[in-house]
PDB file of all heavy atoms in Angstrom:
ATOM      1  N   ARG A 876      -9.785  20.543 -18.862  1.00  0.00           N
ATOM      2  CA  ARG A 876      -9.937  21.992 -19.022  1.00  0.00           C
ATOM      3  C   ARG A 876      -9.132  22.536 -20.201  1.00  0.00           C
ATOM      4  O   ARG A 876      -9.543  23.490 -20.849  1.00  0.00           O
ATOM      5  CB  ARG A 876      -9.539  22.708 -17.729  1.00  0.00           C
ATOM      6  CG  ARG A 876      -9.823  24.206 -17.780  1.00  0.00           C
ATOM      7  CD  ARG A 876      -9.627  24.877 -16.439  1.00  0.00           C
ATOM      8  NE  ARG A 876      -8.246  24.721 -15.991  1.00  0.00           N
ATOM      9  CZ  ARG A 876      -7.890  24.684 -14.716  1.00  0.00           C
ATOM     10  NH1 ARG A 876      -8.775  24.783 -13.757  1.00  0.00           N
ATOM     11  NH2 ARG A 876      -6.620  24.549 -14.385  1.00  0.00           N
ATOM     12  N   ASP A 877      -7.984  21.916 -20.505  1.00  0.00           N
ATOM     13  CA  ASP A 877      -7.167  22.385 -21.634  1.00  0.00           C
ATOM     14  C   ASP A 877      -7.984  22.407 -22.925  1.00  0.00           C
ATOM     15  O   ASP A 877      -7.874  23.329 -23.722  1.00  0.00           O
ATOM     16  CB  ASP A 877      -5.947  21.489 -21.853  1.00  0.00           C
ATOM     17  CG  ASP A 877      -4.910  21.611 -20.747  1.00  0.00           C
ATOM     18  OD1 ASP A 877      -5.085  22.453 -19.833  1.00  0.00           O
ATOM     19  OD2 ASP A 877      -3.920  20.856 -20.784  1.00  0.00           O
ATOM     20  N   ARG A 878      -8.773  21.373 -23.123  1.00  0.00           N
ATOM     21  CA  ARG A 878      -9.591  21.270 -24.338  1.00  0.00           C
ATOM     22  C   ARG A 878     -11.042  21.676 -24.095  1.00  0.00           C
ATOM     23  O   ARG A 878     -11.853  21.633 -25.006  1.00  0.00           O
ATOM     24  CB  ARG A 878      -9.551  19.842 -24.881  1.00  0.00           C
ATOM     25  CG  ARG A 878      -8.155  19.407 -25.294  1.00  0.00           C
ATOM     26  CD  ARG A 878      -8.132  18.004 -25.854  1.00  0.00           C
ATOM     27  NE  ARG A 878      -8.472  17.030 -24.817  1.00  0.00           N
ATOM     28  CZ  ARG A 878      -8.936  15.809 -25.060  1.00  0.00           C
ATOM     29  NH1 ARG A 878      -9.133  15.400 -26.284  1.00  0.00           N
ATOM     30  NH2 ARG A 878      -9.203  14.986 -24.064  1.00  0.00           N
ATOM     31  N   ASP A 879     -11.356  22.029 -22.831  1.00  0.00           N
ATOM     32  CA  ASP A 879     -12.721  22.342 -22.425  1.00  0.00           C
ATOM     33  C   ASP A 879     -13.675  21.239 -22.882  1.00  0.00           C
ATOM     34  O   ASP A 879     -14.708  21.480 -23.501  1.00  0.00           O
ATOM     35  CB  ASP A 879     -13.184  23.698 -22.966  1.00  0.00           C
ATOM     36  CG  ASP A 879     -14.462  24.176 -22.281  1.00  0.00           C
ATOM     37  OD1 ASP A 879     -14.690  23.800 -21.111  1.00  0.00           O
ATOM     38  OD2 ASP A 879     -15.251  24.902 -22.920  1.00  0.00           O
ATOM     39  N   PHE A 880     -13.295  19.992 -22.556  1.00  0.00           N
ATOM     40  CA  PHE A 880     -14.065  18.828 -22.973  1.00  0.00           C
ATOM     41  C   PHE A 880     -14.449  18.007 -21.759  1.00  0.00           C
ATOM     42  O   PHE A 880     -13.611  17.742 -20.891  1.00  0.00           O
ATOM     43  CB  PHE A 880     -13.239  17.976 -23.944  1.00  0.00           C
ATOM     44  CG  PHE A 880     -14.025  16.856 -24.549  1.00  0.00           C
ATOM     45  CD1 PHE A 880     -14.867  17.083 -25.620  1.00  0.00           C
ATOM     46  CD2 PHE A 880     -13.946  15.576 -24.030  1.00  0.00           C
ATOM     47  CE1 PHE A 880     -15.619  16.054 -26.180  1.00  0.00           C
ATOM     48  CE2 PHE A 880     -14.673  14.537 -24.573  1.00  0.00           C
ATOM     49  CZ  PHE A 880     -15.512  14.777 -25.651  1.00  0.00           C
ATOM     50  N   GLU A 881     -15.711  17.616 -21.709  1.00  0.00           N
ATOM     51  CA  GLU A 881     -16.194  16.756 -20.640  1.00  0.00           C
ATOM     52  C   GLU A 881     -16.688  15.448 -21.240  1.00  0.00           C
ATOM     53  O   GLU A 881     -17.099  15.402 -22.402  1.00  0.00           O
ATOM     54  CB  GLU A 881     -17.324  17.430 -19.851  1.00  0.00           C
ATOM     55  CG  GLU A 881     -18.576  17.666 -20.662  1.00  0.00           C
ATOM     56  CD  GLU A 881     -19.658  18.416 -19.903  1.00  0.00           C
ATOM     57  OE1 GLU A 881     -19.615  18.493 -18.676  1.00  0.00           O
ATOM     58  OE2 GLU A 881     -20.569  18.905 -20.574  1.00  0.00           O
ATOM     59  N   SER A 882     -16.646  14.409 -20.437  1.00  0.00           N
ATOM     60  CA  SER A 882     -17.165  13.125 -20.859  1.00  0.00           C
ATOM     61  C   SER A 882     -18.010  12.562 -19.733  1.00  0.00           C
ATOM     62  O   SER A 882     -17.577  12.562 -18.589  1.00  0.00           O
ATOM     63  CB  SER A 882     -16.023  12.164 -21.177  1.00  0.00           C
ATOM     64  OG  SER A 882     -16.530  10.924 -21.601  1.00  0.00           O
ATOM     65  N   PRO A 883     -19.198  12.106 -20.053  1.00  0.00           N
ATOM     66  CA  PRO A 883     -19.822  12.055 -21.359  1.00  0.00           C
ATOM     67  C   PRO A 883     -19.994  13.450 -21.948  1.00  0.00           C
ATOM     68  O   PRO A 883     -20.218  14.413 -21.223  1.00  0.00           O
ATOM     69  CB  PRO A 883     -21.179  11.414 -21.114  1.00  0.00           C
ATOM     70  CG  PRO A 883     -21.089  10.745 -19.778  1.00  0.00           C
ATOM     71  CD  PRO A 883     -20.047  11.502 -19.018  1.00  0.00           C
ATOM     72  N   PRO A 884     -19.877  13.544 -23.280  1.00  0.00           N
ATOM     73  CA  PRO A 884     -19.980  14.851 -23.927  1.00  0.00           C
ATOM     74  C   PRO A 884     -21.373  15.457 -23.795  1.00  0.00           C
ATOM     75  O   PRO A 884     -22.367  14.746 -23.703  1.00  0.00           O
ATOM     76  CB  PRO A 884     -19.663  14.565 -25.395  1.00  0.00           C
ATOM     77  CG  PRO A 884     -19.562  13.103 -25.541  1.00  0.00           C
ATOM     78  CD  PRO A 884     -19.614  12.466 -24.208  1.00  0.00           C
ATOM     79  N   ASN A 885     -21.393  16.754 -23.759  1.00  0.00           N
ATOM     80  CA  ASN A 885     -22.649  17.523 -23.748  1.00  0.00           C
ATOM     81  C   ASN A 885     -23.549  17.228 -22.553  1.00  0.00           C
ATOM     82  O   ASN A 885     -24.758  17.331 -22.650  1.00  0.00           O
ATOM     83  CB  ASN A 885     -23.424  17.294 -25.055  1.00  0.00           C
ATOM     84  CG  ASN A 885     -22.582  17.619 -26.252  1.00  0.00           C
ATOM     85  OD1 ASN A 885     -21.914  18.641 -26.293  1.00  0.00           O
ATOM     86  ND2 ASN A 885     -22.586  16.735 -27.233  1.00  0.00           N
ATOM     87  N   THR A 886     -22.958  16.880 -21.408  1.00  0.00           N
ATOM     88  CA  THR A 886     -23.783  16.660 -20.222  1.00  0.00           C
ATOM     89  C   THR A 886     -24.076  17.949 -19.478  1.00  0.00           C
ATOM     90  O   THR A 886     -24.984  17.985 -18.654  1.00  0.00           O
ATOM     91  CB  THR A 886     -23.125  15.646 -19.257  1.00  0.00           C
ATOM     92  OG1 THR A 886     -21.774  16.027 -19.017  1.00  0.00           O
ATOM     93  CG2 THR A 886     -23.163  14.247 -19.826  1.00  0.00           C
ATOM     94  N   THR A 887     -23.326  19.010 -19.759  1.00  0.00           N
ATOM     95  CA  THR A 887     -23.619  20.317 -19.177  1.00  0.00           C
ATOM     96  C   THR A 887     -24.720  20.962 -19.990  1.00  0.00           C
ATOM     97  O   THR A 887     -24.605  21.114 -21.197  1.00  0.00           O
ATOM     98  CB  THR A 887     -22.375  21.216 -19.168  1.00  0.00           C
ATOM     99  OG1 THR A 887     -21.399  20.619 -18.308  1.00  0.00           O
ATOM    100  CG2 THR A 887     -22.698  22.606 -18.641  1.00  0.00           C
ATOM    101  N   GLU A 888     -25.799  21.303 -19.302  1.00  0.00           N
ATOM    102  CA  GLU A 888     -26.952  21.899 -19.978  1.00  0.00           C
ATOM    103  C   GLU A 888     -27.043  23.376 -19.649  1.00  0.00           C
ATOM    104  O   GLU A 888     -27.934  23.816 -18.927  1.00  0.00           O
ATOM    105  CB  GLU A 888     -28.235  21.179 -19.565  1.00  0.00           C
ATOM    106  CG  GLU A 888     -28.240  19.719 -19.968  1.00  0.00           C
ATOM    107  CD  GLU A 888     -29.494  19.005 -19.537  1.00  0.00           C
ATOM    108  OE1 GLU A 888     -30.408  19.645 -18.989  1.00  0.00           O
ATOM    109  OE2 GLU A 888     -29.562  17.789 -19.738  1.00  0.00           O
ATOM    110  N   LYS A 889     -26.105  24.147 -20.189  1.00  0.00           N
ATOM    111  CA  LYS A 889     -26.080  25.583 -19.954  1.00  0.00           C
ATOM    112  C   LYS A 889     -25.993  26.292 -21.291  1.00  0.00           C
ATOM    113  O   LYS A 889     -25.293  25.854 -22.193  1.00  0.00           O
ATOM    114  CB  LYS A 889     -24.863  25.992 -19.123  1.00  0.00           C
ATOM    115  CG  LYS A 889     -24.886  25.494 -17.711  1.00  0.00           C
ATOM    116  CD  LYS A 889     -23.674  26.013 -16.986  1.00  0.00           C
ATOM    117  CE  LYS A 889     -23.678  25.561 -15.546  1.00  0.00           C
ATOM    118  NZ  LYS A 889     -22.549  26.073 -14.808  1.00  0.00           N
ATOM    119  N   SER A 890     -26.662  27.411 -21.383  1.00  0.00           N
ATOM    120  CA  SER A 890     -26.572  28.187 -22.610  1.00  0.00           C
ATOM    121  C   SER A 890     -25.515  29.288 -22.497  1.00  0.00           C
ATOM    122  O   SER A 890     -25.124  29.872 -23.485  1.00  0.00           O
ATOM    123  CB  SER A 890     -27.932  28.807 -22.944  1.00  0.00           C
ATOM    124  OG  SER A 890     -28.344  29.644 -21.882  1.00  0.00           O
ATOM    125  N   ASP A 891     -25.035  29.552 -21.275  1.00  0.00           N
ATOM    126  CA  ASP A 891     -24.023  30.602 -21.103  1.00  0.00           C
ATOM    127  C   ASP A 891     -22.620  29.999 -21.177  1.00  0.00           C
ATOM    128  O   ASP A 891     -22.448  28.818 -21.406  1.00  0.00           O
ATOM    129  CB  ASP A 891     -24.225  31.341 -19.778  1.00  0.00           C
ATOM    130  CG  ASP A 891     -24.079  30.435 -18.561  1.00  0.00           C
ATOM    131  OD1 ASP A 891     -23.647  29.278 -18.707  1.00  0.00           O
ATOM    132  OD2 ASP A 891     -24.391  30.900 -17.458  1.00  0.00           O
ATOM    133  N   ASP A 892     -21.624  30.832 -20.983  1.00  0.00           N
ATOM    134  CA  ASP A 892     -20.245  30.373 -21.058  1.00  0.00           C
ATOM    135  C   ASP A 892     -19.676  30.002 -19.692  1.00  0.00           C
ATOM    136  O   ASP A 892     -18.466  30.031 -19.503  1.00  0.00           O
ATOM    137  CB  ASP A 892     -19.364  31.459 -21.697  1.00  0.00           C
ATOM    138  CG  ASP A 892     -19.645  31.636 -23.175  1.00  0.00           C
ATOM    139  OD1 ASP A 892     -20.069  30.655 -23.804  1.00  0.00           O
ATOM    140  OD2 ASP A 892     -19.448  32.742 -23.694  1.00  0.00           O
ATOM    141  N   GLY A 893     -20.528  29.653 -18.753  1.00  0.00           N
ATOM    142  CA  GLY A 893     -20.072  29.287 -17.418  1.00  0.00           C
ATOM    143  C   GLY A 893     -19.301  27.980 -17.441  1.00  0.00           C
ATOM    144  O   GLY A 893     -19.207  27.313 -18.467  1.00  0.00           O
ATOM    145  N   PRO A 894     -18.731  27.611 -16.307  1.00  0.00           N
ATOM    146  CA  PRO A 894     -17.943  26.377 -16.255  1.00  0.00           C
ATOM    147  C   PRO A 894     -18.809  25.143 -16.483  1.00  0.00           C
ATOM    148  O   PRO A 894     -19.981  25.113 -16.118  1.00  0.00           O
ATOM    149  CB  PRO A 894     -17.363  26.388 -14.838  1.00  0.00           C
ATOM    150  CG  PRO A 894     -18.275  27.263 -14.053  1.00  0.00           C
ATOM    151  CD  PRO A 894     -18.822  28.269 -15.023  1.00  0.00           C
ATOM    152  N   LYS A 895     -18.210  24.146 -17.091  1.00  0.00           N
ATOM    153  CA  LYS A 895     -18.923  22.889 -17.321  1.00  0.00           C
ATOM    154  C   LYS A 895     -18.997  22.125 -16.004  1.00  0.00           C
ATOM    155  O   LYS A 895     -18.020  22.040 -15.268  1.00  0.00           O
ATOM    156  CB  LYS A 895     -18.205  22.067 -18.382  1.00  0.00           C
ATOM    157  CG  LYS A 895     -18.310  22.694 -19.740  1.00  0.00           C
ATOM    158  CD  LYS A 895     -17.809  21.796 -20.825  1.00  0.00           C
ATOM    159  CE  LYS A 895     -18.100  22.493 -22.146  1.00  0.00           C
ATOM    160  NZ  LYS A 895     -17.518  21.856 -23.275  1.00  0.00           N
ATOM    161  N   ASP A 896     -20.167  21.567 -15.711  1.00  0.00           N
ATOM    162  CA  ASP A 896     -20.317  20.759 -14.505  1.00  0.00           C
ATOM    163  C   ASP A 896     -21.172  19.526 -14.739  1.00  0.00           C
ATOM    164  O   ASP A 896     -21.462  18.779 -13.821  1.00  0.00           O
ATOM    165  CB  ASP A 896     -20.875  21.583 -13.357  1.00  0.00           C
ATOM    166  CG  ASP A 896     -22.289  22.082 -13.605  1.00  0.00           C
ATOM    167  OD1 ASP A 896     -22.856  21.842 -14.694  1.00  0.00           O
ATOM    168  OD2 ASP A 896     -22.855  22.716 -12.697  1.00  0.00           O
ATOM    169  N   GLY A 897     -21.566  19.280 -15.969  1.00  0.00           N
ATOM    170  CA  GLY A 897     -22.389  18.110 -16.271  1.00  0.00           C
ATOM    171  C   GLY A 897     -21.694  16.811 -15.927  1.00  0.00           C
ATOM    172  O   GLY A 897     -22.315  15.860 -15.454  1.00  0.00           O
ATOM    173  N   TYR A 898     -20.389  16.752 -16.147  1.00  0.00           N
ATOM    174  CA  TYR A 898     -19.626  15.539 -15.830  1.00  0.00           C
ATOM    175  C   TYR A 898     -19.657  15.253 -14.327  1.00  0.00           C
ATOM    176  O   TYR A 898     -19.615  14.089 -13.905  1.00  0.00           O
ATOM    177  CB  TYR A 898     -18.182  15.647 -16.341  1.00  0.00           C
ATOM    178  CG  TYR A 898     -17.344  16.638 -15.575  1.00  0.00           C
ATOM    179  CD1 TYR A 898     -16.491  16.224 -14.571  1.00  0.00           C
ATOM    180  CD2 TYR A 898     -17.426  18.010 -15.836  1.00  0.00           C
ATOM    181  CE1 TYR A 898     -15.729  17.131 -13.855  1.00  0.00           C
ATOM    182  CE2 TYR A 898     -16.670  18.916 -15.131  1.00  0.00           C
ATOM    183  CZ  TYR A 898     -15.830  18.479 -14.144  1.00  0.00           C
ATOM    184  OH  TYR A 898     -15.090  19.387 -13.434  1.00  0.00           O
ATOM    185  N   ILE A 899     -19.735  16.309 -13.502  1.00  0.00           N
ATOM    186  CA  ILE A 899     -19.820  16.137 -12.047  1.00  0.00           C
ATOM    187  C   ILE A 899     -21.156  15.508 -11.685  1.00  0.00           C
ATOM    188  O   ILE A 899     -21.215  14.499 -10.979  1.00  0.00           O
ATOM    189  CB  ILE A 899     -19.657  17.480 -11.316  1.00  0.00           C
ATOM    190  CG1 ILE A 899     -18.308  18.101 -11.613  1.00  0.00           C
ATOM    191  CG2 ILE A 899     -19.851  17.298  -9.804  1.00  0.00           C
ATOM    192  CD1 ILE A 899     -18.162  19.541 -11.125  1.00  0.00           C
ATOM    193  N   HIS A 900     -22.229  16.089 -12.170  1.00  0.00           N
ATOM    194  CA  HIS A 900     -23.566  15.555 -11.888  1.00  0.00           C
ATOM    195  C   HIS A 900     -23.698  14.132 -12.413  1.00  0.00           C
ATOM    196  O   HIS A 900     -24.263  13.266 -11.738  1.00  0.00           O
ATOM    197  CB  HIS A 900     -24.640  16.458 -12.510  1.00  0.00           C
ATOM    198  CG  HIS A 900     -24.687  17.820 -11.912  1.00  0.00           C
ATOM    199  ND1 HIS A 900     -25.240  18.078 -10.672  1.00  0.00           N
ATOM    200  CD2 HIS A 900     -24.227  19.005 -12.371  1.00  0.00           C
ATOM    201  CE1 HIS A 900     -25.134  19.365 -10.394  1.00  0.00           C
ATOM    202  NE2 HIS A 900     -24.521  19.950 -11.415  1.00  0.00           N
ATOM    203  N   TYR A 901     -23.172  13.891 -13.606  1.00  0.00           N
ATOM    204  CA  TYR A 901     -23.243  12.550 -14.191  1.00  0.00           C
ATOM    205  C   TYR A 901     -22.522  11.551 -13.284  1.00  0.00           C
ATOM    206  O   TYR A 901     -23.051  10.482 -12.982  1.00  0.00           O
ATOM    207  CB  TYR A 901     -22.632  12.540 -15.597  1.00  0.00           C
ATOM    208  CG  TYR A 901     -22.832  11.231 -16.302  1.00  0.00           C
ATOM    209  CD1 TYR A 901     -23.957  11.015 -17.090  1.00  0.00           C
ATOM    210  CD2 TYR A 901     -21.906  10.196 -16.172  1.00  0.00           C
ATOM    211  CE1 TYR A 901     -24.148   9.802 -17.734  1.00  0.00           C
ATOM    212  CE2 TYR A 901     -22.093   8.982 -16.810  1.00  0.00           C
ATOM    213  CZ  TYR A 901     -23.218   8.795 -17.592  1.00  0.00           C
ATOM    214  OH  TYR A 901     -23.428   7.593 -18.219  1.00  0.00           O
ATOM    215  N   GLY A 902     -21.310  11.891 -12.884  1.00  0.00           N
ATOM    216  CA  GLY A 902     -20.551  10.996 -12.015  1.00  0.00           C
ATOM    217  C   GLY A 902     -21.273  10.706 -10.712  1.00  0.00           C
ATOM    218  O   GLY A 902     -21.390   9.555 -10.292  1.00  0.00           O
ATOM    219  N   LEU A 903     -21.784  11.747 -10.070  1.00  0.00           N
ATOM    220  CA  LEU A 903     -22.483  11.567  -8.797  1.00  0.00           C
ATOM    221  C   LEU A 903     -23.746  10.738  -8.960  1.00  0.00           C
ATOM    222  O   LEU A 903     -24.076   9.912  -8.107  1.00  0.00           O
ATOM    223  CB  LEU A 903     -22.825  12.932  -8.191  1.00  0.00           C
ATOM    224  CG  LEU A 903     -21.627  13.770  -7.743  1.00  0.00           C
ATOM    225  CD1 LEU A 903     -22.088  15.151  -7.312  1.00  0.00           C
ATOM    226  CD2 LEU A 903     -20.852  13.078  -6.639  1.00  0.00           C
ATOM    227  N   ASN A 904     -24.456  10.948 -10.054  1.00  0.00           N
ATOM    228  CA  ASN A 904     -25.706  10.211 -10.291  1.00  0.00           C
ATOM    229  C   ASN A 904     -25.480   8.788 -10.786  1.00  0.00           C
ATOM    230  O   ASN A 904     -26.433   8.026 -10.911  1.00  0.00           O
ATOM    231  CB  ASN A 904     -26.597  10.972 -11.280  1.00  0.00           C
ATOM    232  CG  ASN A 904     -27.184  12.213 -10.657  1.00  0.00           C
ATOM    233  OD1 ASN A 904     -27.525  12.238  -9.479  1.00  0.00           O
ATOM    234  ND2 ASN A 904     -27.283  13.273 -11.437  1.00  0.00           N
ATOM    235  N   HIS A 905     -24.235   8.442 -11.069  1.00  0.00           N
ATOM    236  CA  HIS A 905     -23.924   7.095 -11.536  1.00  0.00           C
ATOM    237  C   HIS A 905     -22.951   6.372 -10.615  1.00  0.00           C
ATOM    238  O   HIS A 905     -22.190   5.514 -11.033  1.00  0.00           O
ATOM    239  CB  HIS A 905     -23.398   7.148 -12.979  1.00  0.00           C
ATOM    240  CG  HIS A 905     -24.467   7.478 -13.956  1.00  0.00           C
ATOM    241  ND1 HIS A 905     -24.852   8.771 -14.235  1.00  0.00           N
ATOM    242  CD2 HIS A 905     -25.263   6.676 -14.701  1.00  0.00           C
ATOM    243  CE1 HIS A 905     -25.839   8.746 -15.118  1.00  0.00           C
ATOM    244  NE2 HIS A 905     -26.106   7.493 -15.411  1.00  0.00           N
ATOM    245  N   GLY A 906     -22.977   6.731  -9.344  1.00  0.00           N
ATOM    246  CA  GLY A 906     -22.281   5.958  -8.323  1.00  0.00           C
ATOM    247  C   GLY A 906     -20.832   6.299  -8.044  1.00  0.00           C
ATOM    248  O   GLY A 906     -20.118   5.499  -7.437  1.00  0.00           O
ATOM    249  N   ALA A 907     -20.357   7.462  -8.452  1.00  0.00           N
ATOM    250  CA  ALA A 907     -18.963   7.822  -8.184  1.00  0.00           C
ATOM    251  C   ALA A 907     -18.691   7.818  -6.682  1.00  0.00           C
ATOM    252  O   ALA A 907     -19.491   8.302  -5.893  1.00  0.00           O
ATOM    253  CB  ALA A 907     -18.642   9.191  -8.771  1.00  0.00           C
ATOM    254  N   LYS A 908     -17.546   7.251  -6.322  1.00  0.00           N
ATOM    255  CA  LYS A 908     -17.094   7.234  -4.931  1.00  0.00           C
ATOM    256  C   LYS A 908     -15.729   7.888  -4.774  1.00  0.00           C
ATOM    257  O   LYS A 908     -15.260   8.075  -3.655  1.00  0.00           O
ATOM    258  CB  LYS A 908     -17.017   5.788  -4.408  1.00  0.00           C
ATOM    259  CG  LYS A 908     -18.341   5.082  -4.394  1.00  0.00           C
ATOM    260  CD  LYS A 908     -19.314   5.749  -3.448  1.00  0.00           C
ATOM    261  CE  LYS A 908     -20.643   5.026  -3.441  1.00  0.00           C
ATOM    262  NZ  LYS A 908     -21.724   5.843  -2.962  1.00  0.00           N
ATOM    263  N   LEU A 909     -15.099   8.237  -5.902  1.00  0.00           N
ATOM    264  CA  LEU A 909     -13.778   8.841  -5.861  1.00  0.00           C
ATOM    265  C   LEU A 909     -13.671   9.920  -6.934  1.00  0.00           C
ATOM    266  O   LEU A 909     -14.012   9.691  -8.097  1.00  0.00           O
ATOM    267  CB  LEU A 909     -12.689   7.782  -6.116  1.00  0.00           C
ATOM    268  CG  LEU A 909     -11.252   8.288  -6.235  1.00  0.00           C
ATOM    269  CD1 LEU A 909     -10.768   8.883  -4.909  1.00  0.00           C
ATOM    270  CD2 LEU A 909     -10.331   7.162  -6.694  1.00  0.00           C
TER     271      LEU A 909
END
Side-chain angles (χ1 to χ4, degrees):
R876 186 171 61 209
D877 290 356
R878 298 181 294 158
D879 194 28
F880 187 81
E881 65 184 343
S882 181
N885 305 315
T886 50
T887 296
E888 297 179 4
K889 293 183 179 182
S890 59
D891 62 10
D892 290 332
K895 291 189 175 172
D896 65 357
Y898 70 98
I899 299 170
H900 295 284
Y901 187 90
L903 293 174
N904 289 324
H905 289 84
K908 298 297 180 201
L909 174 65

